């Protein structure tokens, strides 16, 4: 076989479940990923690219939920570098203890198209199962690449709310709400 036609080997991606005691080791990389993703148009709650102070503030707010156990934070590494993250929100009302929400799937733009997001989502589902959850929910900007990823992982569209969120450019965008029953 011609070496130039051989499939390119993607670097190995590992996913870690970060606990509160490990948070300070990854917060800098998480802040960088957040700023880079928003700079590239991610709709994750910011109207403009957060500066470092805002990015760190966001992540330290997440850390509070790690301490209380209401959230799990997963990070993906490629070649030892943190390149992506996703959160599993476990804090639900008593009548929702069977479900969890997927939040803030972020992959650094330089690490996209390498299976990082898929690895993070698969591990998020494993965490949810281990926590006794049988239903996952999430939302994503309608038409974004994330929506295709979620569909490929078996998520179903529950509905679309028009003009749900404002993008970093100030434009209102539709949001798709999706779910997956874990078996």
């Amino acid at each position: 076989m011609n070496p130039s036609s051989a499939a390119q080997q993607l670097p190995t991606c590992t996913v870690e479940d970060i606990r509160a005691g490990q948070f300070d080791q990854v917060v800098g990389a998480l802040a960088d990923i957040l700023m880079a993703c928003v700079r590239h148009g991610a709709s994750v709650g910011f109207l403009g690219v957060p500066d470092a102070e805002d990015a760190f503030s966001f992540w330290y707010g997440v850390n509070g939920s790690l301490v209380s156990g209401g959230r799990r934070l997963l990070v993906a590494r490629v070649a030892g570098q943190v390149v992506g993250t996703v959160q599993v929100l476990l804090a639900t009302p008593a009548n929702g203890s069977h479900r969890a929400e997927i939040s803030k799937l972020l992959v650094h733009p330089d690490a996209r198209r390498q299976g990082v997001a898929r690895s993070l989502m698969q591990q998020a589902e494993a965490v949810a199962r281990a926590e006794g959850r049988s239903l996952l929910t999430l939302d994503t900007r309608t038409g974004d690449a994330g929506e295709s990823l979620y569909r490929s992982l078996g998520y179903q569209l529950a509905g679309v709310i028009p003009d749900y969120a404002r993008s970093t450019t100030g434009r209102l965008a539709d949001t798709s709400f999706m779910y997956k029953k874990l078996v």
Side-chain angles (χ1 to χ4, degrees), residues 88-90 98-102 121 124-126 128-129 133-138 155 178-182:
V88 182
L89 282 57
L90 299 167
H98 64 289
R99 68 178 186 253
E101 181 180 350
I102 299 296
M121 287 298 295
E125 290 177 14
R129 280 187 190 94
R133 308 306 166 103
S134 60
L135 178 69
L136 288 175
T137 63
L138 59 83
Y155 285 79
M178 306 179 85
Y179 69 93
K180 181 176 182 177
K181 289 188 172 190
L182 301 176

Side-chain angles (χ1 to χ4, degrees), residues 114-135:
Q114 297 180 33
V116 173
R118 182 172 299 277
S119 294
L120 282 162
M121 287 298 295
Q122 290 168 337
Q123 188 61 36
E125 290 177 14
V127 165
R129 280 187 190 94
E131 291 287 340
R133 308 306 166 103
S134 60
L135 178 69

Side-chain angles (χ1 to χ4, degrees), residues 16 18-19 22-38 44 46 50-52 54-60 62-63 66 72-77 81-87 104-108 120:
E16 300 170 41
I18 300 298
R19 303 305 176 137
Q22 303 165 298
F23 180 78
D24 285 335
Q25 299 166 15
V26 297
V27 68
L30 293 174
D32 290 342
I33 290 167
L34 176 63
M35 291 184 291
C37 288
V38 174
V44 290
F46 293 89
D51 60 19
D54 289 339
F56 274 89
S57 178
F58 168 79
W59 286 112
Y60 276 104
V62 167
N63 189 43
L66 297 180
R72 300 284 282 280
L73 176 65
L74 305 177
V75 300
R77 292 183 191 266
Q81 299 297 310
V82 176
V83 297
T85 183
V86 70
Q87 298 169 50
K104 304 289 190 274
L105 174 63
L106 301 169
V107 176
H108 193 284
L120 282 162

Side-chain angles (χ1 to χ4, degrees), residues 5 21 26 28 65 68 75 80 85 99 117 125 154 158 163 165 172 177:
S5 67
V26 297
S65 296
S68 71
V75 300
T85 183
R99 68 178 186 253
E125 290 177 14
D163 297 340
L172 293 175
F177 287 81

Side-chain angles (χ1 to χ4, degrees), residues 1-8:
M1 175 164 64
N2 182 343
S4 63
S5 67
Q8 224 177 8

